[in-house]
Amino acid sequence: MDFSQFIAFGVLTLLLVSVFTDGADLTEKQENELNGIAREIVRCTRTPGFSLFMLNRDQGITHEYSQGRATTSHGFCIGDGTRAFSAVLLGILIDKNENVTWDTPVEEILDTRTYLPDMYRSKNLNLRDIFSMRTGLSGMDVVPFAQPYDQDQLIKNLRYAPVVASFREKYIHNEVLFSLVDKVTRSLGGESWQNLMRNYILGPLEMKDTFFAGASTKDLRNGKKIADGTVHYRAQSRSLDFEVYDGLEIVAPASALCTTARDMYRWFVFLSSDGQATDRNLQLIKKETLEMIFQGILPRGRDGDPMTEGYRNPDIHTSYTRTMNSMGFINGNYDGNEFVSQDGSLPGYQTLATYIPDKRTGIYVAMLGDEKPKNFVAKVLMNIASLDYMLRGSSWVTSQTVCSLMDDMEKLHVKPMPTGPRAVGQTPNSREMEDYVNTYRNYAFGDVEVKYNATEKDQLTLEYGRITYHLQTTDKNDTFAMHVFDGPMWYSTKADWYKKNLYAVFAAAQVRVDEDGNEVDEDEDEEGVHYVERIMNVTIAGFDSQTDPVFAINPRRPYYERERRHSMECSAPSSLLNSPAIFALWVGALLSTVGTFLR
């Protein structure tokens, strides 16, 4: 080994030692107190797996803790926490492309027309709108998990996405628009989002244990330690098949990243190094670009839900607020310190990372469990306690008080739930089961197919994408409770936190039919034509958090698509001016008119 190799080896050794200094500057008493808080959170939430990593870069303090079926080297899928990584990736790619900014319309970047529900959104949608979630379009929540179609079809269907707010008016959670972000990263970087993420971020930061959800990246997960996503079923922990998360691939830049506590430490080191990689000779992203990504764009609102706005005095000792959406981060304040955070909530995985740029301090907490409020409270309180210890050596949260604090804070989430129909053993009306059988379409969500099998206890089923729901009659006419009994998505209606959330409500109308029962037009006046009542559509409550989609038999296309076609037809004459021959004729006619006027 020559001298230069010796020096390089020494530097690498120092880097590795510094990366995993385990609580070097916490006293034994502080470590015991902090670990005691974590143990109590594990006990009170009954989570089967917990992982924590903490960093105060200025003071050189690190600490890690894990318990149960997870270590700090086990991967947890971080859901929405992925967006911050995607924002940094795009920041790198945009800095390399002089003609593109965050405000450049997406259809200009892709050099193809983008179809959204109205012309203004279509023409003006940019990356800043998508990342801050201010488009006003419903998130179509069920689509990534049910996988009724592929990403290309999803992008086509965005023109029919339900409009629930004005453009750039307010925060509406939306991941399906990140299908466009996937296309943008490929357009700017020339490769898939996954490859670009590995080449520009995961590789340089040595985040070797980070991986992606999705069927196409299954081979890349070989050899990785994966914490099994876990929900509670009949008060017992039950693991989910990783196949549950395959659909996240179509919105990969929003929610497909899975990482470990130790790799999140490396992420914090990168953030606290102003965009430099572990090798300090490599500036991955400009400092000013990273600072811009941190800047708040859109207020999250004050709807009273702590998952939206955080916790404020006097409800808890010290506020932990979530005030703004920035480029993939959630901005807030704790104890006078402004932070950016990455909140991930998926079935089976709950994660939260808080980073304070001015203090170069980061906390990452990962838990296995449901998306219920108590788990949200738990990860926030663990972040709070960890920040306290990193910044001042003690916390107002203690192992003796943390569980009672969770109970008190959980009450802030409770909202009156509407009473749903009561399931019964037989239909409350005289309609035959076969009357519901048909294919119903929603132009945004796709098709659902209702089938009937008389040999299996008069079983009525509804198929949507890869999910088959069993329809159980209720005490309300034409209303069915939806249950999934088999397959990877069983948890979505059967696990303790998720059950009794889905209903299919059918609606009938009078239609004109001939003697054979075939529908006829209103203007036809043939002998034997008469009216009968038939099921025409089904509304599914629970497919989306913002709206209940209606699926109909032979539905009309929404008006705004025809409006766009009309606009394009009206603009056709202007496009003819691009033809030199037509332009010459137009100019000649104009000059002739002017000459006649002058004479």
Side-chain angles (χ1 to χ4, degrees):
M1 179 183 295
D2 60 26
F3 182 73
S4 61
Q5 291 175 319
F6 177 79
I7 292 297
F9 177 77
V11 170
L12 178 61
T13 301
L14 287 173
L15 284 172
L16 292 175
V17 170
S18 66
V19 163
F20 296 116
T21 304
D22 185 12
D25 293 318
L26 288 180
T27 66
E28 183 178 356
K29 179 175 180 293
Q30 289 171 328
E31 285 189 3
N32 290 337
E33 290 172 350
L34 194 54
N35 293 346
I37 295 171
R39 281 193 292 270
E40 280 298 289
I41 285 178
V42 170
R43 182 182 69 82
C44 294
T45 59
R46 295 185 296 126
T47 177
F50 180 93
S51 186
L52 164 73
F53 215 112
M54 307 156 47
L55 165 71
N56 182 321
R57 190 78 182 278
D58 287 340
Q59 299 182 34
I61 303 174
T62 63
H63 180 69
E64 64 178 290
Y65 178 82
S66 62
Q67 186 174 334
R69 300 203 314 255
T71 69
T72 52
S73 297
H74 275 82
F76 287 69
C77 293
I78 63 173
D80 283 346
T82 305
R83 290 183 285 130
F85 286 88
S86 294
V88 170
L89 173 60
L90 276 167
I92 295 170
L93 297 176
I94 288 173
D95 283 347
K96 295 177 180 291
N97 288 268
E98 296 181 356
N99 298 324
V100 175
T101 72
W102 290 95
D103 299 310
T104 303
V106 167
E107 69 175 21
E108 287 187 20
I109 300 175
L110 298 178
D111 194 26
T112 186
R113 191 179 294 274
T114 300
Y115 291 97
L116 296 179
D118 58 76
M119 183 70 76
Y120 188 79
R121 280 184 176 87
S122 301
K123 288 292 186 183
N124 292 280
L125 178 76
N126 59 41
L127 292 170
R128 203 180 298 271
D129 297 323
I130 297 175
F131 275 87
S132 63
M133 297 194 169
R134 61 182 186 181
T135 65
L137 302 182
S138 170
M140 298 164 58
D141 305 337
V142 72
V143 169
F145 286 98
Q147 297 174 260
Y149 37 66
D150 60 18
Q151 186 186 77
D152 288 338
Q153 188 61 50
L154 169 59
I155 291 173
K156 293 178 182 178
N157 286 11
L158 290 176
R159 71 179 71 185
Y160 309 115
V163 177
V164 294
S166 298
F167 189 45
R168 296 174 181 167
E169 173 195 1
K170 60 187 291 188
Y171 162 54
I172 300 292
H173 192 86
N174 187 307
E175 293 184 358
V176 293
L177 283 168
F178 280 80
S179 56
L180 291 172
V181 174
D182 197 12
K183 299 296 186 183
V184 168
T185 55
R186 184 181 292 272
S187 176
L188 296 179
E191 295 185 76
S192 69
W193 174 82
Q194 289 86 348
N195 286 342
L196 292 169
M197 186 64 68
R198 286 199 300 268
N199 295 338
Y200 283 100
I201 295 180
L202 304 183
L205 298 187
E206 299 181 6
M207 297 177 67
K208 298 177 181 178
D209 294 322
T210 298
F211 54 94
F212 309 101
S216 69
T217 57
K218 183 176 181 179
D219 292 342
L220 299 177
R221 297 194 291 270
N222 292 336
K224 307 289 187 185
K225 293 181 179 180
I226 302 176
D228 293 332
T230 305
V231 297
H232 281 95
Y233 175 64
R234 296 181 177 176
Q236 298 295 319
S237 295
R238 183 165 168 178
S239 296
L240 301 178
D241 295 333
F242 202 79
E243 185 182 344
V244 165
Y245 312 103
D246 281 353
L248 297 179
E249 190 167 42
I250 67 174
V251 291
S255 55
L257 204 64
C258 307
T259 190
T260 70
R262 290 196 169 197
D263 275 0
M264 283 299 291
Y265 165 84
R266 296 179 172 94
W267 173 247
F268 289 144
V269 170
F270 160 71
L271 296 180
S272 62
S273 300
D274 295 327
Q276 290 184 331
T278 305
D279 178 356
R280 291 187 173 275
N281 292 323
L282 180 60
Q283 186 77 34
L284 290 184
I285 188 172
K286 296 177 182 177
K287 178 182 177 181
E288 54 269 28
T289 301
L290 188 59
E291 291 173 345
M292 183 276 297
I293 290 173
F294 287 163
Q295 293 174 2
I297 298 172
L298 180 74
R300 288 177 62 82
R302 297 290 298 273
D303 62 359
D305 184 359
M307 292 186 182
T308 300
E309 63 182 52
Y311 300 95
R312 301 174 180 273
N313 280 328
D315 298 316
I316 62 173
H317 183 274
T318 305
S319 298
Y320 181 100
T321 63
R322 295 150 68 96
T323 55
M324 301 281 287
N325 284 348
S326 54
M327 299 296 291
F329 290 93
I330 300 173
N331 294 33
N333 187 287
Y334 175 68
D335 199 19
N337 297 292
E338 294 185 358
F339 65 71
V340 293
S341 65
Q342 297 166 256
D343 184 17
S345 184
L346 290 171
Y349 294 112
Q350 306 303 313
T351 61
L352 178 62
T354 305
Y355 176 68
I356 301 176
D358 289 347
K359 300 295 176 65
R360 299 207 300 169
T361 295
I363 310 296
Y364 172 74
V365 173
M367 302 167 51
L368 299 177
D370 312 290
E371 301 169 83
K372 58 187 178 184
K374 190 163 192 173
N375 287 336
F376 179 80
V377 173
K379 64 185 181 182
V380 169
L381 277 177
M382 194 68 241
N383 269 256
I384 286 173
S386 301
L387 287 171
D388 286 343
Y389 275 92
M390 287 288 100
L391 297 177
R392 57 173 176 263
S394 63
S395 178
W396 57 274
V397 181
T398 69
S399 58
Q400 288 76 34
T401 64
V402 65
C403 287
S404 60
L405 281 169
M406 280 195 292
D407 291 338
D408 292 339
M409 292 168 67
E410 185 182 8
K411 294 174 184 177
L412 301 175
H413 293 254
V414 175
K415 294 183 178 180
M417 297 294 292
T419 303
R422 182 173 58 87
V424 295
Q426 58 185 4
T427 56
N429 54 26
S430 59
R431 203 182 302 279
E432 298 294 333
M433 286 292 189
E434 291 91 337
D435 293 342
Y436 300 101
V437 174
N438 219 316
T439 297
Y440 303 82
R441 172 165 295 178
N442 178 290
Y443 277 99
F445 288 81
D447 293 348
V448 298
E449 187 172 0
V450 177
K451 298 180 178 180
Y452 173 64
N453 190 335
T455 63
E456 295 185 7
K457 300 180 181 179
D458 289 337
Q459 184 64 65
L460 199 65
T461 61
L462 183 149
E463 295 180 0
Y464 180 62
R466 62 171 175 164
I467 309 177
T468 298
Y469 297 95
H470 297 257
L471 301 185
Q472 182 180 5
T473 55
T474 68
D475 58 357
K476 291 189 177 181
N477 289 344
D478 298 328
T479 300
F480 296 80
M482 300 169 61
H483 301 286
V484 183
F485 293 117
D486 305 308
M489 299 298 293
W490 67 269
Y491 77 90
S492 62
T493 61
K494 298 299 290 181
D496 296 346
W497 173 247
Y498 301 92
K499 64 184 178 182
K500 297 181 181 177
N501 285 335
L502 286 174
Y503 292 94
V505 183
F506 292 86
Q510 295 288 328
V511 297
R512 298 179 83 238
V513 299
D514 59 22
E515 293 178 337
D516 296 324
N518 300 315
E519 292 187 29
V520 298
D521 295 334
E522 291 291 335
D523 56 357
E524 293 187 24
D525 190 19
E526 299 178 3
E527 184 178 352
V529 170
H530 59 285
Y531 284 91
V532 297
E533 185 179 80
R534 285 185 176 173
I535 296 292
M536 299 303 293
N537 64 59
V538 56
T539 300
I540 300 182
F543 265 12
D544 186 82
S545 58
Q546 298 293 328
T547 184
D548 295 332
V550 179
F551 299 77
I553 300 170
N554 300 321
R556 293 183 178 180
R557 289 183 181 271
Y559 171 73
Y560 35 75
E561 190 207 28
R562 297 200 304 274
E563 182 180 48
R564 158 151 306 209
R565 185 183 299 118
H566 173 72
S567 177
M568 292 171 64
E569 289 168 354
C570 290
S571 65
S574 63
S575 65
L576 293 177
L577 296 181
N578 294 325
S579 168
I582 297 298
F583 182 76
L585 289 173
W586 183 82
V587 171
L590 178 63
L591 291 175
S592 175
T593 301
V594 172
T596 300
F597 175 78
L598 291 177
R599 287 197 297 269

